[in-house]
Amino acid sequence: QVQLVESGGGLVQTGGSLRLSCAASGSVSNLYALGWYRQAPGKQRELVATITSTGRTNYANSVKGRFTISRDGAKNTVWLQMSSLKFEDTAVYYCNYRSLAGSLANYWGQGTQVTVSS
């Protein structure tokens, strides 16, 4: 019932910047949490950053000060602004939506590849 489409991934050099977008459509709740997760080959998927419908944000320690998560007023798009990128940031980045009301629905986007190189 909720569709998530990520965009903005690509190849960037170490120290560069990249902006990811996630467009949500469908039955989006008024109470929700949106998050960015990433998974590198051979590693577990990890939480990068989250933002709630009230504007509360949370970041992994590894990205604090470098990444910024935000959303628009219509609550249909969430961004992840990434700066000072490191090789360790290379991963597939997934957008996640979780309803915090009703059925507590959980949805994932298809993922977008971010590759950081020298």
Side-chain angles (χ1 to χ4, degrees):
Q1 294 180 329
V2 175
Q3 296 79 46
L4 304 171
V5 180
E6 302 104 328
S7 63
L11 177 64
V12 65
Q13 292 184 337
T14 299
S17 299
L18 207 60
R19 188 189 190 192
L20 305 182
S21 298
C22 176
S25 62
S27 301
V28 179
S29 173
N30 290 325
L31 186 61
Y32 66 86
L34 285 165
W36 287 96
Y37 295 71
R38 66 186 182 187
Q39 186 169 20
K43 294 187 176 181
Q44 292 182 305
R45 184 174 298 184
E46 64 176 354
L47 188 148
V48 178
T50 60
I51 186 168
T52 69
S53 52
T54 64
R56 179 186 178 186
T57 59
N58 186 51
Y59 297 90
N61 288 331
S62 60
V63 306
K64 285 183 178 178
R66 300 189 298 119
F67 291 9
T68 301
I69 189 170
S70 61
R71 57 167 175 80
D72 66 8
K75 300 181 290 185
N76 62 346
T77 304
V78 62
W79 297 275
L80 184 68
Q81 179 66 49
M82 305 182 292
S83 62
S84 301
L85 283 163
K86 304 182 293 185
F87 175 78
E88 292 78 15
D89 296 317
T90 297
V92 177
Y93 284 69
Y94 297 91
C95 181
N96 173 258
Y97 166 88
R98 294 181 183 271
S99 174
L100 302 181
S103 64
L104 305 180
N106 179 37
Y107 296 92
W108 292 91
Q110 76 280 6
T112 184
Q113 177 70 49
V114 172
T115 303
V116 184
S117 68
S118 300

